[in-house]
Amino acid sequence: QEFIIVASTTSTENSGLFGHILPMFQAETGIEVRVVSQGTGQALETGRRGDADVVFVHARAQEEAFVAEGYGVQRFDVMYNDFVIVGPADDPAGVRAADSAAAAMAAIAGAGASFASRGDDSGTHTAEKGLWSAAGIDPAGDWYLSTGSGMGATLNTAAQVPAYALTDRGTWLSFANRGPLEIVAQGDPVLFNPYGIILVNPDKHAHVKAEQGQAFIDWIVSEAGQQAIASFTVAGEQLFFPSVQ
Amino acid sequence: MTHPRPTSPTILPLRLEGVGYDVAGKTLLSDISLAVDPGRRLVVMGANGAGKSLLLRLCHGLIAPTAGRCIWADGSIRAHAQAMVFQRPILLRRSVAANLDYPLALRGLSRQARRATVARTLDRFGLGPLADRPARLLSGGEQQRLALARAWSMQPEVLFLDEPTSALDPSATRIIEEMLMGFSAEGITIVLTTHNLGQARRLAEDVAFLHRGRLIEHRPAADFFAGPAAPEARAFLAGDLIW
Amino acid sequence: MTHPRPTSPTILPLRLEGVGYDVAGKTLLSDISLAVDPGRRLVVMGANGAGKSLLLRLCHGLIAPTAGRCIWADGSIRAHAQAMVFQRPILLRRSVAANLDYPLALRGLSRQARRATVARTLDRFGLGPLADRPARLLSGGEQQRLALARAWSMQPEVLFLDEPTSALDPSATRIIEEMLMGFSAEGITIVLTTHNLGQARRLAEDVAFLHRGRLIEHRPAADFFAGPAAPEARAFLAGDLIW
Amino acid sequence: MAADAALMQIIGLSLRVTLTAVLVACAIGLPLGAALALARFPGRGAVIVVFNALMGLPPVVAGLVVYLMLSRSGPLGDLALLFTPEAMILAQTVLILPIVVSLTRSVVEDIWAEYREQLQSLGASRLRAVPTLLWDGRVSLLTGVLAGFGRASAEVGAVLIVGGNIAGHTRTMTTAITLETSRGNLGLAVALGIILLALTLTLNAVAWGAGQWARGRLG
Amino acid sequence: MAADAALMQIIGLSLRVTLTAVLVACAIGLPLGAALALARFPGRGAVIVVFNALMGLPPVVAGLVVYLMLSRSGPLGDLALLFTPEAMILAQTVLILPIVVSLTRSVVEDIWAEYREQLQSLGASRLRAVPTLLWDGRVSLLTGVLAGFGRASAEVGAVLIVGGNIAGHTRTMTTAITLETSRGNLGLAVALGIILLALTLTLNAVAWGAGQWARGRLG
Ligand SMILES: Nc1ncnc2c1ncn2[C@@H]1O[C@H](COP(=O)(O)OP(=O)(O)OP(=O)(O)O)[C@@H](O)[C@H]1O
Ligand SMILES: Nc1ncnc2c1ncn2[C@@H]1O[C@H](COP(=O)(O)OP(=O)(O)OP(=O)(O)O)[C@@H](O)[C@H]1O
Ligand SMILES: [Mg+2]
Ligand SMILES: [Mg+2]
């Protein structure tokens, strides 16, 4: 039984995407894909140490560094989803009125409303830091809760406090414990969240199953793979959008 | 005796009515009927494994009979105002003095009263120099002496003693025997087992003789030693029995 | 005796040279010099707490002297071919038969040889009916008998016995004494403590008398009982000592 | 994390939460375990089995249960305890209580087997025997308490859920280690683990010293 | 997860990993703990303290250490054990070994205090006394083994790191619970926790029954 190990992020695993597409790939090629879902930083570290054959994450700058250092062969765009800002339905900071993501963040900070940050250097956390700097704010204070946890745990926290939070739409749609939270801001192009896939460099780690790994990459960027991604829905909503035309 | 007199006995006699004791289908004691009368010195005799210790534990209320009943004069199953010295005394993992203090504290005596009683008891039993020693490191005889002292300090109306001098040297044995006679003179009831025939003769007013879990003689000591009716008892006194 | 003769003694005499034993700054034994000669019956006497059990444990090699030395004729510190019956025997949490089997298995005897020895021992000590009982539930005397049986089955050249009949009934005591005389006749060396003066008179060839951790007499039994030199020993024999 | 002050704060919180939880678990678990060793009642075996099994209570489940209790929508929501150190203490207490109870029961059962008749003869009720047995078994009980302490100090699943791992407020050593791991900072994670173990080691050394001293005095 | 087959597979893996780890930890830990109770050597106190402290080894740290060993860039990388059930067994064994060792030492020390002179007199060397003491202490040792089992079966931090929580391959009950929690499916997480506890309960009931039977035969 052939298999490869893919180090990926919790957001893709938690959303159920892999459960949807991997059986199709296996049916086609006979290759089993074992997905280890970790924080983005940890997933890249796993690749760097040669413990995965493929990494599949969303943190563009870090991915490019990974390739530049020679740990990855090449980065391929696969798909994107987007981030949304969620918050208490009564929207104490008036985020709904903001006309951009940065303005939304400024409103939260301005009102001193609670904000739950993942604080784990994940792709989502990196995107959040980008939004704060775009808003010209250095978030600190009692209202800013750095949970140091995965997306799900952070949303669990945000639902309880309640607090605003930045989350990817995939996790949000499949998240069951929303409490008073709902989407209060979305649609700004800066909330675009691209996923890349990279084969771990067999020159660094000779045991990497380059052939099967490349087969997976080839398939996922192929027509069939892209369609598989597009056909994945949660509650009737498409979560991920193919980025290969 | 420096020991205060106990209040007049009210819990005696203790009556055993058709008492039996089975464990796991084995009958260890059967059909024992017996009254422990107030103020008497009863010596329980019998070969090893005859059931003497079981009988004392039944009387003392530590095990419950599986047939018949043990009942005190006041109707209780397990009366206070009794104490027992075990064949193999169990000492607490504390000092000698703390072992003496423990049952007194259980009875709710004040710290002061306890200190006085402990001091008196240590002195009475020659345990003064050992007061601060960990009780479990004492020699065999010292442990037995401590167990005796502890029982004495509880001022019981009935005192059960299971081979209480088996580890004692001859002079200690003599002193303990004298003390037991003294208690008896104060009205304390004594139930004792011993394999020391001389001791039995010296102490017994009544004798109960057990054989394989049955009570086959219960008579005044003078009669018993003059010539027991049961052949087993006769053989026992002659040292004839073989296991 | 159905027991096979031991091979001729080579490990004796055991010599104690200026042996002392201190615990936590307290001197429990001091300056004991003594030889345990082959084939003799040595009875160690003394009041409670005199140090008899400590002396036996030192000789048997269970504790190491803090001064002086104990040395066997073959130069070893702790010889095999010895066995000891403790004042308070420790039985394993197993059946009576398994308790007898254990030391034999330690010696590497075959299953068959063990089964035969166990059967013979059970029979010899009247423990047959108790073979399958959990050893820890035996009566006090039965436990002591089992401990004696276990030591016997090990076919020692030297047998240490710490008050071995203290829990036995009179006839069991007599039988054990006869057996000890029998072992002695076979050449087994016996070191025994007892508070039973009659037993000491019956068994002793030599007497060692301890007083407060010191060896104050070590003489042939006849001399000792005729009239010990030391006043402490005289008082002890008269039962005069008080603690 | 780089700042020493932050590290100190995290260490302080870890110690406070764990030690308080151990203290509470002992205050309840030692007498309860001893009582369970002594008591005879129908269903006693079942209770013992349940406590034994609860030694295997998954921390996440313990955390979730406490979370659902303390949640704003839960029965105790009004106490506003969620995401506070108090909630973490509660979750850890739930987690280690079965360990303390089961190990205490086991130790006390052994001593009780030896002491039962003697204590009853001396006039001790079963209730009164509890402190006696705990005191006489103190050296052996120590290992069980240390096992509970170890479990609490190493635990992350429960404190993460009810504490939220909020920086500067409910972040402990273990949640910090988990965070650094998910950031891929494996070296830092291991370093934090070593600091935690060093703390644990120190506490254990002190406990052992105390135990030896007690044993010496007790013979 | 919905599929029963998947659930069965997860349960099977959990049991396999945990029971194997307990078995290995007992095979090493029981004799080692007993030996530690008997042996007298300089530094013995330190070794005991270290094992006591290691009861508080954070699972994440144990997981990381095993991870760093088994990683392709680690010393044992060529074994290709990472993200396999075997790696999980190894990590859990590391985790519960100190528990088994420490609790065994504590129990055996108590029996040894009673047995020492008698066993030496009967001719048992310290080495030979080890199996004797383990056998005679078997009822008391059971609770320690169950504590180790509980820790292993409830554990998630270490198996997550070295197993990777790969669906159908290294996903266990506890990692599934963690996953469902992070999905916000708290109800499902608690339900899985209850299944896990039910399994633990069953195993504990069997162990208790066996222990009672042994106690009956042993007196
Ligand atoms: N480990 C120990 N620590 C402190 N004191 C001890 C220890 N062992 C024995 N002792 C003390 O040493 C003295 C001698 O003890 P030993 O057991 O040898 O007495 P013995 O002569 O056998 O008395 P008995 O006739 O009562 O058995 C006693 O006073 C006892 O309390
Ligand atoms: N819990 C028990 N389970 C099984 N058998 C027991 C139990 N307790 C006592 N026995 C048995 O019952 C019999 C009587 O025991 P008991 O201790 O009363 O004897 P005893 O007359 O005191 O003997 P000794 O003179 O040796 O002390 C013994 O054969 C003993 O083995
Ligand atoms: Mg008896
Ligand atoms: Mg002695």
Side-chain angles (χ1 to χ4, degrees), chain D residues 13-14 17-18 21 66 70 81-95 152 155-156 158-166 169-175:
Chain D
L13 181 67
S14 294
V17 168
T18 303
V66 173
L70 297 184
L81 284 178
L82 204 60
F83 307 134
T84 63
E86 286 68 33
M88 298 156 80
I89 292 171
L90 181 60
Q92 290 208 336
T93 304
V94 168
L95 208 61
E155 196 281 320
V156 61
V159 293
L160 198 56
I161 291 176
V162 303
N165 189 24
I166 297 168
H169 183 51
T170 55
R171 180 160 301 164
T172 64
M173 292 295 286
T174 55
T175 59

Side-chain angles (χ1 to χ4, degrees), chain B residues 167-186:
Chain B
L168 298 187
D169 62 42
S171 57
T173 303
R174 216 193 60 205
I175 294 176
I176 293 294
E177 285 183 15
E178 281 165 12
M179 286 172 69
L180 291 179
M181 293 302 281
F183 300 168
S184 180
E186 291 172 38

